[in-house]
């Protein structure tokens, strides 16, 4: 079992709203301390119960989205049933996922929906922070990108394969992330039930989950900040960008500096980096070997846990139909064709090619209720389209159809923006993350 953590769940019998917090890869409940503390300061105990999920702590996050989602679902169900027995049932549910935790949360709400909980409890807020909704496959050319896509996918057990979308989920012949975004799935139906759906995405320096995947976008306008104008929300400037009109290309380019000025600047920059490059040359081979060995050990342990899980010695009762209206067979066949057609390596698509031109899978949406939700603009015309896979373009379309309010985040004072966005630990450089959390509580979270 995961290491024993201090109890962070906060319950009051008078509160009728439960908020569940789910941490990310290699994470622990302690990573969410600032989120939980800020929630509690904003909303008193008699108004809001807080459950910080702890069943996926540490290397248990290697075990995959499905296994992690079932564990979280069990935690939530046990608490809901406990409160019902005590005569203090929950009437409203919110769920917050950080990094991989956002994907685990999307799986868990599908299970809760399918088991009838949303008929008894009203879903209110669904929020993700720095969650790789499209996976982490890099859409760049070159041997280094190909190496990363191949190596990274095989060092994190099931979670790695799923994040790099090289897995085949059950009998669908598709990656689990594709199934999570299928319009006929219990996961999209569950997501559409929430009153609000918000996401926060770092625009720079998030090496764990880049902007395009956390913002569910086919473009990345922030590759060169010198080439764009950024618009922020006044009360949260300069950290939170305007979700409706965050960025546009600069109308005029900056004047080019004289050649000797640029040469001098480049030379000075290179000289200052020589010690760093020397250290990296010495450390990278050692670190790579150590990382590979540890990943192999952890993957072996993870596979053992997953086998026990599959045999019913861990969790059971969650193996239910995931796709509705009999679409599973059709999805399996179409999934095979998608995977063959998506084998390309360019970094950007040609300007004439538009991901929206792909033929719609009309059968997948046949007889489904239409979601009258506002689609978030991606401002595609202003920026080149990334060379994502066909499945990733479908994920974007389907998730945009459900509707997320997307908040780009510009953290400037620390290069580890993935941790700073939720103030994963108390560090002065993470203070901009406190602005992000304040915005979420004041503007996005509904009690």
């Amino acid at each position: 079992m995961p290491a024993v953590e201090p109890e962070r769940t906060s319950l009051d019998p008078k509160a009728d709203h439960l908020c569940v917090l789910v941490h990310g890869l290699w994470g622990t409940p302690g990573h969410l301390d600032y989120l939980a503390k800020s929630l509690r300061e904003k909303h008193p105990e008699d108004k809001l119960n807080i459950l910080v999920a702890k069943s996926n702590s540490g290397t248990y996050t290697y075990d995959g989205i499905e296994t992690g989602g079932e564990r979280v679902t069990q935690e939530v169900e046990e608490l809901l049933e406990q409160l019902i027995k005590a005569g203090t049932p929950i009437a409203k549910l919110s769920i917050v996922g950080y990094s991989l935790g956002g994907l685990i949360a999307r799986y868990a709400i599908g299970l809760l929906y399918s088991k009838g909980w949303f008929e008894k409890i009203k879903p209110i807020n669904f929020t993700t922070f720095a969650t790789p909704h499209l996976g982490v496959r890099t859409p760049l050319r070159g041997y280094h990108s190909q190496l990363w896509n191949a190596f990274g996918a095989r060092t994190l057990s099931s979670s790695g394969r799923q994040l790099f979308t090289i897995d085949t989920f059950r009998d669908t012949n598709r990656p689990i992330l594709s199934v999570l975004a299928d319009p006929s799935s219990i996961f999209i139906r569950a997501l559409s039930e929430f009153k609000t759906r918000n996401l926060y995405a770092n625009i720079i320096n998030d090496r764990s989950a880049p902007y395009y995947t956390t913002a569910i976008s086919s473009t990345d306008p922030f590759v060169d900040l010198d080439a764009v104008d950024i618009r922020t929300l006044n009360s949260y400037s300069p950290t939170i960008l305007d979700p409706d009109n965050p960025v546009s290309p600069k109308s005029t380019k900056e004047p080019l500096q004289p050649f000797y000025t640029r040469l001098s600047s480049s030379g000075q920059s290179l000289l200052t980096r020589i010690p760093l490059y020397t250290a990296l040359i010495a450390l990278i081979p050692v670190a790579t070997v150590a990382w590979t060995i540890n990943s192999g050990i952890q993957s072996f342990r993870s596979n053992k846990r997953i086998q026990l899980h599959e045999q019913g010695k861990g969790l059971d009762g969650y193996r239910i139909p995931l796709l509705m209206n009999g679409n599973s067979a059709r999805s399996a066949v179409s999934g095979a064709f998608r995977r063959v057609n998506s084998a390309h390596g360019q970094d950007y698509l040609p300007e004439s090619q538009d991901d929206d031109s792909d033929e719609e899978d009309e059968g997948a949406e046949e007889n489904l209720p239409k979601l009258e939700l506002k689609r978030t603009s991606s401002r595609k015309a202003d920026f080149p389209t990334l060379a994502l896979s066909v499945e990733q373009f479908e994920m974007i379309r389907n998730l945009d159809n459900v509707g997320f309010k997307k908040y780009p985040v510009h953290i400037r004072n620390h290069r580890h923006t993935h941790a700073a966005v939720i103030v994963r630990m108390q560090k002065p450089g993470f203070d901009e993350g406190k602005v992000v959390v304040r915005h979420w509580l004041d503007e996005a979270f509904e009690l």
Side-chain angles (χ1 to χ4, degrees), residues 25-26 58-63 148 150-161 164 286-306:
L25 188 66
W26 302 304
T59 55
Y60 274 54
T61 54
Y62 277 68
D63 299 351
W148 165 244
F151 180 73
R154 291 163 176 81
T155 57
L156 298 172
S157 189
S158 290
S159 293
R161 292 191 295 273
F164 283 86
V286 177
T288 300
V289 171
W291 166 262
T292 304
I293 293 173
N294 181 65
S295 294
I297 294 171
Q298 297 302 334
S299 294
F300 175 79
R301 292 174 177 173
S302 173
N303 289 332
K304 286 293 184 183
R305 289 193 298 266
I306 294 171

Side-chain angles (χ1 to χ4, degrees), residues 222-240:
F222 307 103
V223 172
D224 182 4
L225 293 184
D226 293 332
V228 296
D229 289 319
I230 291 176
R231 300 175 184 86
T232 59
L233 295 178
N234 289 336
S235 300
Y236 305 93
S237 183
T239 305
I240 305 293

Side-chain angles (χ1 to χ4, degrees), residues 278-335:
T278 303
L280 288 176
I281 291 172
L283 292 175
I284 284 178
V286 177
T288 300
V289 171
W291 166 262
T292 304
I293 293 173
N294 181 65
S295 294
I297 294 171
Q298 297 302 334
S299 294
F300 175 79
R301 292 174 177 173
S302 173
N303 289 332
K304 286 293 184 183
R305 289 193 298 266
I306 294 171
Q307 288 175 14
L308 291 175
H309 187 97
E310 296 292 336
Q311 294 167 6
K313 297 178 182 178
L315 303 175
D316 54 14
Y318 297 122
R319 297 308 162 91
I320 54 182
L322 306 179
L323 300 175
M324 308 176 77
N325 295 331
N327 286 313
S328 57
R330 178 169 51 217
S331 295
V333 175
S334 63

